[in-house]
Amino acid sequence: MDDRPIGVFDSGIGGKTILTATKKLLPSENFIYFGDSKNCPYGDKSDEELKTIVKRAAEFLIEKNVKLIIVACNTATTRMIGFLRESFPGLPFIGTEPAVKPACAKNNNSIFILGTSATIRSKRLNELIKKNIHPSQKIVTFPLVGLAEAIELKDETKINNCLEPLKRNFSKEELSSTDAVVLGCTHYPFVLRELKAYFPNADFIDSGPGVARQTKKVLEKNHLLASAKTPGSVEYYFSKPQE
Ligand code: DGL
């Protein structure tokens, strides 16, 4: 049993979607959330820059005495989870990956996977697709360039501009016959309404439940679950003031 908090970080508000799912599954846990809005988007940063950025985020949470860190960002997970685990041995890190497995496990014929350029290009996403795809399924991967940043800025015009390429690259039939859309960036659940206009018949699948289950598993395995049965607390910190 361990009543220290769980640390969660992202390049801004996106990780809140992961936090919500984890809090739902583990209501007695305490959480410290760090939204690194100052450095959003992580996707634009070089490896060297990103190393400094994620190390600082982890150190901030470690100073708050966390027992585990959730990297609530697909981009940071893809590029930095190995570096973080090496830099802080002994501290469990949970990564966030696009929910390809649940999307493929269901009876979905046509699946879209959306994410940042870094996530869509990543070797890990390719591996996930190869491992989970059924022969009858068609999977399209597509980067929504600039969307995470536009969501962070709450800029409606920019958000709509970032979604436009869907219209330019795919026919209406293709979009409307899509059964499932994997939200491969933790910011994207915030624009579900806008995405639904493009994919009117799709189920939207995000990484929250998978990360929550994995967090529970790792806490159990390491005897780190909170002892309290009362609801836990959440503290929020941002590297730039939020409105
Ligand atoms: N929320 C991040 C993700 O899941 C946003 C990407 C970024 O900061 O570049 O990928």
Side-chain angles (χ1 to χ4, degrees), residues 10-11 14-15 40-44 72-76 116 119 148 184-187:
D10 174 49
S11 60
C40 185
Y42 279 177
D44 278 4
C73 172
N74 294 265
T75 311
T116 64
T119 299
C185 169
T186 56
H187 279 75

Side-chain angles (χ1 to χ4, degrees), residues 1-4 28-30 67 224-230:
M1 296 287 173
D2 192 325
D3 290 323
R4 287 178 298 158
S28 301
E29 296 293 336
N30 300 305
K67 58 184 172 185
L224 290 172
L225 282 169
S227 61
K229 295 281 169 277
T230 46

Side-chain angles (χ1 to χ4, degrees), residues 10-12 36-46 49-50 53 73 75-76 79 116 145-150 152-153 185 187:
D10 174 49
S11 60
D36 197 3
S37 310
K38 191 179 99 187
N39 291 308
C40 185
Y42 279 177
D44 278 4
K45 308 289 181 291
S46 70
E49 283 172 314
L50 204 51
I53 287 170
C73 172
T75 311
R79 292 175 59 192
T116 64
V145 180
L147 183 59
E149 197 184 0
E152 193 67 33
L153 299 169
C185 169
H187 279 75

